[in-house]
Structures are given as C-alpha cells and as structure tokens.
Amino acid sequence: MKTMTKEQESGLMGKFRRLSTEKQDFFSGYLFISPFILGFLLFIVVPMGISLFMSFHNYDMLTEAEYIGFDNFSKIFFDDPKFKQALMVTFKYVVSAVPLRLVIALAVAMLINRPSKLSGLYRVLFYIPSIIGGSVAVSIMWRNIFGDSGLINGLLENIGMDPIYFFKNPGTALFTLILLAGWQFGSSMLIFLSGLKNIPNDYYEAAQIDGASKLRQFFSITLPCLTPIIFFNLVMQTIQSFLTFTPAFVITNGTGSPRNGTLVYSLYVYQKAFADFKMGYASALAWILIVIIAVITMIFFATSKYWVFSESKEG
C-alpha cells in the first residue's frame, strides 16, 4: 500500500483548509445578504406573482376569484376611456416634471459646488425637500398654498390681481403637481454634485487658455462629462415620476379632479383596487404600467450610446 509523504500530506491539508475557508466565505456572504434576499422574495417577487395571477381573474376581495383570461386587459384597452385619460395625464406629468427636476438639480449643484464654508449646510437644506416631499403633510401644505383661499391667491389679491383657481382647471391643477415634483430635486442634486467634483480641473484650465467662455465650457466640458450622471438620474426620475401617487391623492382627495386632470396612473390603479374593489382589474393596470416603464427604460438604454460620454469609447 502506497503511503503519502509529508509534503503530499501538507499539500492535501492546505487544499482542505482553502476549501473550508472558501465555504465559510460563501456561507458568510449569503448569511449577510439573506435579509435582503428574504425581503426581496417576500415583499417584491411574491406580491408581483400574486398580482400577475390576479390580473387574469375577476376578484373583489370579498368573493372567490374567477378566472376570466385576458378580459381585464381587453376592457382596459378597448372599453375604458379613463385608462387613456390617466395614461395621458401621467405622460404629461413625466415629460414636464422630469426635465424640470433635473434642470433645477443641476443648476443648484453647480451653485453649491463652489468652495464655501457653508456648502455642507446648503446641501442639507436643499436635500430636505426630497426627504419630506412625498409625505402627506407636504401635499397638504401644497394644497393650502395653491388653494382658492391659499397663500398664492392671498398675495395676488393684495397686489390687486384676480385670484387663480388652480384646482378648478385641469391644466393648472396638474401644473401644481409638476411644481411640487420640481421642488423635490435633492437626491438628483447630490448625484450631480458628486459628478461635478469628479470632472478634472485640467479640462477647464485648458479651455481657459484657449479662451473658451464659461458658457462654452459648460456645453463642451461639463455637460459631456456629466452625461453618465444625467442618464442615471433620467432613468431613476422617470421611473419615480411614473409611480407618483401621494401628491395627486392628497391634493384632490383621491378623485383626480378637476375633470380627471390630475388622474395620474397610480391614482387610477388605487381607485380601481380600493374604491371599486376590482383587484383583478387593478392588477392588470399595474402590469401594463410595469411594461410601459420597462419599454421606456430599454429605449433610454438603447439610445444612450449616441449621447452618453464614455472615456473608454473616446480612447
């Protein structure tokens, strides 16, 4: 019988130790991320699966679900004018709110990017609206500011102007929601600020030597270097805007008034689910929104190669 030498034994023991260490690292890693995995499965994957299942059923949460195939989707696309209205309002909101928020965020980021002893304080102050902006309290405050007897109309009356009834006109009512979205620019601002700090000063120094103006430097250096940040913020803010709910619900008391002018898509899903008790119908609406967001996100990614600056591409 062939015996192992000491060198072979030590090599084999080292291999076992390495395998043991790798297994420990493997299980330790999964142990640390297990709360996220469990939360993702329990609160995202499972509810999405149930929602997809319910989208093919007639379910009012009081009686047993009845399988109806694609009837919910057929009614949505061909027999539901409020679906088209909600979709149109949501697209108007997204197309207006997202650029407004990004422009304000970039402008403020460039202002506080200048060296200042109070720059940290400015960042906190400008970020606060994003923390509390989606809350019920802020939506109530916004309703009181733009209400018939609110702050804006009080100021207009004091200077001899006629009041503007914001919430009685579909266009101006939606405009107030867009303004609220523009006020919540803090998270995008911080991301833009980090991007501005990563732009090498050598670029600006070379441009100044060549006689480039501040405006030329902005369009030739700042914007191209920030395109990856702009792309990220564009995608994230677009998704967030499609899912907006609280301001429209609170300001209009869940009605989407006037004349459904503020009936954003998420609010319409809520109405169908918890006002009309058509949970299967609401689930179908929700999955249509998921598909719309996915398609728009894929379009962003497909077109990004034409306008997002990458140093690796430039060689």
Side-chain angles (χ1 to χ4, degrees):
M1 184 175 178
K2 187 176 180 180
T3 58
M4 297 178 62
T5 63
K6 291 184 178 180
E7 290 80 4
Q8 290 175 329
E9 289 180 356
S10 60
L12 188 60
M13 290 299 295
K15 185 177 181 180
F16 280 132
R17 290 193 190 97
R18 286 194 299 271
L19 288 174
S20 178
T21 303
E22 289 175 359
K23 287 183 179 180
Q24 289 178 1
D25 293 341
F26 177 81
F27 287 113
S28 297
Y30 273 96
L31 180 63
F32 279 109
I33 66 172
S34 59
F36 168 78
I37 294 175
L38 290 174
F40 180 76
L41 291 174
L42 292 176
F43 299 111
I44 296 180
V45 175
V46 172
M48 286 182 67
I50 296 173
S51 174
L52 182 61
F53 175 78
M54 286 300 170
S55 67
F56 299 103
H57 291 73
N58 181 20
Y59 181 53
D60 60 3
M61 297 187 293
L62 300 175
T63 58
E64 187 177 351
E66 176 190 1
Y67 178 76
I68 57 174
F70 287 92
D71 283 2
N72 284 328
F73 295 94
S74 177
K75 290 178 182 177
I76 289 171
F77 286 113
F78 301 109
D79 301 320
D80 189 352
K82 288 187 72 173
F83 162 73
K84 299 179 180 64
Q85 173 69 12
L87 204 58
M88 183 178 66
V89 169
T90 304
F91 270 101
K92 284 182 180 179
Y93 176 83
V94 172
V95 170
S96 302
V98 173
L100 177 64
R101 183 180 293 176
L102 295 185
V103 168
I104 295 175
L106 179 56
V108 174
M110 293 185 67
L111 285 175
I112 66 176
N113 188 42
R114 299 175 181 178
S116 172
K117 293 181 180 179
L118 298 177
S119 59
L121 177 63
Y122 294 150
R123 294 173 200 172
V124 173
L125 292 177
F126 283 123
Y127 186 65
I128 287 176
S130 291
I131 300 176
I132 64 174
S135 67
V136 173
V138 171
S139 299
I140 293 174
M141 177 195 74
W142 213 255
R143 184 177 63 187
N144 291 333
I145 290 174
F146 290 95
D148 294 349
S149 302
L151 176 63
I152 300 297
N153 282 329
L155 293 174
L156 291 175
E157 290 177 357
N158 286 334
I159 60 177
M161 295 181 64
D162 294 331
I164 301 174
Y165 300 107
F166 291 96
F167 299 126
K168 293 182 179 179
N169 182 285
T172 54
L174 184 61
F175 173 72
T176 61
L177 298 182
I178 294 170
L179 277 184
L180 178 57
W183 185 60
Q184 302 165 337
F185 59 84
S187 58
S188 299
M189 177 207 66
L190 290 180
I191 297 172
F192 276 132
L193 185 61
S194 65
L196 288 170
K197 292 186 177 297
N198 287 325
I199 300 176
N201 286 326
D202 296 346
Y203 294 172
Y204 295 103
E205 292 173 358
Q208 289 175 356
I209 293 173
D210 291 338
S213 63
K214 292 291 184 181
L215 187 63
R216 181 63 182 275
Q217 292 178 33
F218 174 76
F219 285 104
S220 299
I221 299 174
T222 306
L223 273 185
C225 290
L226 282 180
T227 48
I229 307 296
I230 295 172
F231 174 73
F232 174 80
N233 278 333
L234 177 64
V235 172
M236 299 304 295
Q237 295 303 325
T238 299
I239 295 173
Q240 182 179 338
S241 296
F242 268 109
L243 300 176
T244 189
F245 170 77
T246 303
F249 178 82
V250 173
I251 290 175
T252 67
N253 294 318
T255 62
S257 59
R259 299 195 300 274
N260 295 323
T262 57
L263 185 66
V264 293
Y265 200 96
S266 296
L267 179 57
Y268 184 48
V269 174
Y270 171 85
Q271 289 180 351
K272 283 297 179 183
F274 300 105
D276 298 340
F277 295 102
K278 294 182 178 180
M279 189 60 69
Y281 197 88
S283 298
L285 285 169
W287 273 96
I288 291 172
L289 180 60
I290 290 174
V291 172
I292 291 172
I293 293 174
V295 170
I296 292 175
T297 303
M298 287 189 291
I299 291 173
F300 284 156
F301 274 92
T303 58
S304 64
K305 60 184 178 182
Y306 298 108
W307 61 276
V308 175
F309 172 78
S310 174
E311 291 185 359
S312 60
K313 291 181 181 179
E314 299 296 322

